[in-house]
Amino acid sequence: MSAYQYLNVASLGDGVFNVELARGPANAVDRAMYMEIRNLFGNVDQLGGDVRAIVLSGKGRHFCGGNDLDEFATMTPDNAVERMWRVREAFFAISGCSVPVVGAVHGAALGTGLALAASCDFVVAAKSARFGLPELTVGVMGGARHLARMAPQPLVRRMYFTGQPETAEAFAAAGGSVFVCDDDQLMVEAARLAKRIASYSPTAVRVSKRVLDRVEWMNLTEGYEFEQGATVRMSGHPDSKEALAAFKEKRDPAYQPRNDDRHWFGV
């Protein structure tokens, strides 16, 4: 069902879609692929149906081995500004996606691969997955700020300055925020968590996504006040009352599909 050259898209059911990086052999990202990522995640409703969550994974042996090195070789101060803009737009489209994105990482997630994973709302990683920032080894910079969403500063700096990758288990043990599972359970676990997200009110989830994206950069006082404002807003939505009633009655909620709830997302 994918209309993209480097992204495979498939429905996992229950409003969950799998977006698979597919540019062999290691899913290295070039300019065209960055643009595809931006276009897809910037408007996930184009996938059709009731999109409630996304699982981002990689085809083949690796999640993403990094940026296309041939493009680095042709980069100059004259063309680098436009290229870096394309890169930013792709990462920010994932982090700002209107629905939660679960990263499912196996094999290598290096450089751009790590930044793509860090742009997701959270990451499920196979035990054998490797995270790394080899930027200095290829004469470029970037990725440290993305890694800081997943790891404390000492770990960020060690990985950045040494360029040495860490296995998922070692990364988690050092303070990296990833959910580690057996390799053969990666997609099972990622889909399970995405479908749990999808079981909640789709309107509430999208409102929550907007709220979390905003409060991440606020202090406690401002952030909590902003969250409370979303509570006030959602209190007028039928899904809020249905969720409370279902909880009290110990049953699954029955959310009714609605034609257009977009005005609720403007938090």
Side-chain angles (χ1 to χ4, degrees), residues 95-139:
S95 62
C97 183
S98 58
V99 299
V101 181
V102 179
V105 177
H106 75 290
L110 307 177
T112 285
L114 189 152
L116 288 170
S119 297
C120 298
D121 289 280
F122 61 89
V123 172
V124 180
K127 287 182 179 178
S128 63
R130 293 178 293 117
F131 296 89
L133 282 180
E135 268 68 0
L136 291 180
T137 67
V138 294

Side-chain angles (χ1 to χ4, degrees), residues 170-187:
F171 182 67
S177 181
V178 291
F179 178 91
V180 182
C181 66
D182 291 334
D183 287 34
D184 61 358
Q185 293 297 300
L186 176 62
M187 288 304 295

Side-chain angles (χ1 to χ4, degrees), residues 25-91:
N27 299 322
V29 187
D30 66 355
R31 181 178 180 275
M33 190 173 175
Y34 281 120
M35 293 172 67
E36 289 195 355
I37 293 171
R38 163 65 183 85
N39 291 339
L40 190 154
F41 283 94
N43 179 21
V44 292
D45 290 316
Q46 68 184 279
L47 301 180
D50 181 17
V51 183
R52 299 191 179 197
I54 300 288
V55 174
L56 176 62
S57 63
K59 182 180 180 180
R61 295 178 56 195
H62 302 290
F63 175 74
C64 175
N67 196 92
D68 187 314
L69 295 183
D70 289 339
E71 288 200 342
F72 279 157
T74 61
M75 191 162 61
T76 68
D78 291 330
N79 63 32
V81 172
E82 189 269 345
R83 293 187 184 185
M84 292 300 97
W85 175 69
R86 296 292 184 189
V87 174
R88 288 197 304 275
E89 288 289 289
F91 295 154

